[in-house]
Amino acid sequence: MNKALAYVEKNKDRHLTDLFKLLSQPSISASGEGIKDCADLLIDLLIKTGFKVSLYSYASSPPVIYAEFMVGAPRTIIFYNHYDVQPVDPLEKWKSPPFKPIIREGKIFARGIADNKGNIMSRLLAVESYMQGTKTLPVNIKWVIEGEEEIGSLHLEEFVREQREFLQGEGIIWESGSRDVRGRPVISFGCKGILYAELIAHNASRDLHSAYASIVENPAWRLLDALKCLKDVSNDKILIPDFYDEVLPPTSEELQMLDNYLFEEESFKEEMKITKFLGGLSGLELKKKLLYEPTCNICGIASGYSGPGSKTVLPHKAEAKIDFRLVPNQKAQDLFEKMKTHLINSGFGDIEVVPYGLEDPAQTPVESRLKEVVVDTVRDIWGVEPLLSPRMAGTGPMAVFSNHLNIPIVEGIGVGNFGSAVHAPNENCLVEDYFKVVNWVIKILQDLSVKTALPC
């Protein structure tokens, strides 16, 4: 392992060149921009490192890249990542072009550095360093890298279902990972689901002069009324009938983990410039709400004129993008149908409802060999105790794997930090953190090859 770590140190500059090449390639799945070229570039990097690569295409979607490096080791680990990224809007908020990576004040700035290309490349350099330093790997590696994660992983389940007998190993190292405001890695074992949809209110065939507002209904008001029927903002409760029926409370084991999980409330409020949390919550109740309650959120609203100065217009259309974060055992498709029925029963059958992403929540086993190794190596690499959380508040296609594969999944091995601005302008990670994660992955692979199994 020491030879692998030495290889990392010796090849930092050369590897940053490869990282910047991947970061420079747009791959926005929402628009399709650069997706194919990014997949081709990533395939070349994988093959050069020694992976055997296969592509699985479904309809006209971005291909699922499957790569493997089988060395005959007794144990196998699975990586999951994605090569697509979020849109860069608002572009004017970026201090440097999002697809022209730059190092500034010890940080790499680029779209995708923390989510998820930086994590892909950290794993790739770890594997390359092991092979170049020791001429072998301590474990076999199977790697699934998709190009639709940011738009709901529309075809990933088909791939996993077809390959479920082959996708077996000690567990899955998930794509994401970050450190909290004090620099402690946060390790999770599940995630929330998501129901993402757009509500559209229509009226006239085109925008009208606002003088007609006395006799023509404004679809923006209509849309606002429809949104109000989904949630009571006074108590933050979702109004869709039976919405909470399948919600599972935390187990005693999860409550203990949640109680020990140190959520830095004051630092979070200071960083985000907010004065309080919803309902004035704090402590254990705040953490329970964050991880164990579903949400109903307005992601964006558009209607009429919003440019500089004034324009007296009565818009003909109003749109709102909304998301619901879901918790075990809620089902995204079931709740989507209940939402549509609720809108109709509430008198809003004229509102068009367009689904954009439906992903179920996931909860995987907390105790595993993989978890034990990850926690131990946090102490070795970062010199701190990790924060253990039953699940992350965000969403990914973890249920696709947990529903079809009977193996643990551990999230948290990533280059992000509290200020990485994931999904926002000026996405970044510290250069130092990036190479620490490379060393962390090397250490995880090494320890997985020798760590004894947990008692049954």
Side-chain angles (χ1 to χ4, degrees), residues 340-375:
K340 290 197 300 181
T341 299
H342 177 59
L343 286 168
I344 293 170
N345 292 341
S346 300
F348 296 103
D350 58 307
I351 300 293
E352 182 182 358
V353 182
V354 182
Y356 281 111
L358 302 174
E359 291 185 279
D360 290 340
Q363 187 63 57
T364 72
V366 170
E367 294 302 329
S368 67
R369 183 202 310 270
L370 178 57
K371 175 253 188 179
E372 181 183 341
V373 167
V374 169
V375 169

Side-chain angles (χ1 to χ4, degrees), residues 202-433:
H202 303 269
N203 195 12
S205 60
R206 58 176 174 80
D207 289 354
L208 299 172
H209 191 292
S210 65
Y212 291 103
S214 59
I215 60 172
V216 177
E217 183 181 45
N218 187 324
W221 290 116
R222 181 70 176 163
L223 179 64
L224 289 173
D225 286 340
L227 291 170
K228 286 169 62 177
C229 91
L230 297 179
K231 176 179 171 179
D232 183 347
V233 296
S234 67
N235 59 16
D236 198 42
K237 292 300 180 183
I238 298 165
L239 301 175
I240 299 171
D242 304 325
F243 191 90
Y244 294 93
D245 284 3
E246 306 302 323
V247 173
L248 292 179
T251 65
S252 57
E253 179 186 42
E254 291 168 347
L255 269 179
Q256 182 63 47
M257 182 181 293
L258 203 59
D259 194 36
N260 293 331
Y261 175 65
L262 301 175
F263 181 65
E264 299 289 345
E265 300 176 25
E266 296 307 315
S267 297
F268 184 96
K269 288 189 287 187
E270 181 179 352
E271 175 74 18
M272 295 296 115
K273 302 296 188 287
I274 61 175
T275 58
K276 64 177 182 179
F277 295 108
L278 282 176
L281 293 177
S282 64
L284 181 60
E285 291 306 311
L286 176 66
K287 292 183 285 187
K288 285 171 63 177
K289 184 173 176 59
L290 176 65
L291 298 180
Y292 284 85
E293 283 194 20
T295 68
C296 175
N297 174 60
I298 299 173
C299 299
I301 300 179
S303 184
Y305 179 73
S306 60
S310 65
K311 181 183 181 183
T312 52
V313 63
L314 192 162
H316 76 288
K317 183 170 71 170
E319 305 161 288
K321 294 184 186 293
I322 62 173
D323 72 23
F324 299 81
R325 297 286 172 166
L326 312 177
V327 298
N329 276 343
Q330 293 182 303
K331 300 297 182 185
Q333 183 64 49
D334 173 60
L335 294 178
F336 176 69
E337 298 301 329
K338 287 179 178 177
M339 179 185 69
K340 290 197 300 181
T341 299
H342 177 59
L343 286 168
I344 293 170
N345 292 341
S346 300
F348 296 103
D350 58 307
I351 300 293
E352 182 182 358
V353 182
V354 182
Y356 281 111
L358 302 174
E359 291 185 279
D360 290 340
Q363 187 63 57
T364 72
V366 170
E367 294 302 329
S368 67
R369 183 202 310 270
L370 178 57
K371 175 253 188 179
E372 181 183 341
V373 167
V374 169
V375 169
D376 285 347
T377 52
V378 167
R379 303 183 185 108
D380 294 334
I381 297 297
W382 299 96
V384 297
E385 286 293 319
L387 296 180
L388 303 182
S389 174
R391 68 178 65 105
M392 55 180 171
T395 300
M398 197 178 288
V400 168
F401 292 89
S402 63
N403 289 343
H404 293 286
L405 310 176
N406 188 29
I407 57 176
I409 303 173
V410 177
E411 185 272 343
I413 303 93
V415 304
N417 61 69
F418 187 73
S420 280
V422 172
H423 290 200
N426 305 305
E427 183 178 348
N428 69 88
C429 86
L430 289 161
V431 177
E432 180 184 3
D433 284 359

Side-chain angles (χ1 to χ4, degrees), residues 135-210:
K135 307 307 178 186
T136 189
L137 292 174
V139 294
N140 306 309
I141 296 174
K142 299 177 180 180
W143 202 345
V144 179
I145 315 175
E146 64 157 323
E148 296 183 294
E149 194 273 346
E150 300 291 7
I151 56 172
S153 301
L154 305 177
H155 298 88
L156 182 64
E157 183 163 20
E158 188 172 354
F159 167 79
V160 174
R161 185 173 60 247
E162 290 174 353
Q163 305 298 326
R164 62 181 178 271
E165 292 185 5
F166 188 70
L167 291 173
Q168 294 296 323
E170 296 293 327
I172 299 174
I173 292 179
W174 201 244
E175 49 101 355
S176 54
S178 185
R179 297 182 302 132
D180 78 342
V181 68
R182 293 193 182 183
R184 297 167 296 195
V186 181
I187 308 301
S188 304
F189 308 94
C191 67
K192 283 188 172 183
I194 193 170
L195 189 175
Y196 195 109
E198 184 173 23
L199 305 187
I200 307 173
H202 303 269
N203 195 12
S205 60
R206 58 176 174 80
D207 289 354
L208 299 172
H209 191 292
S210 65

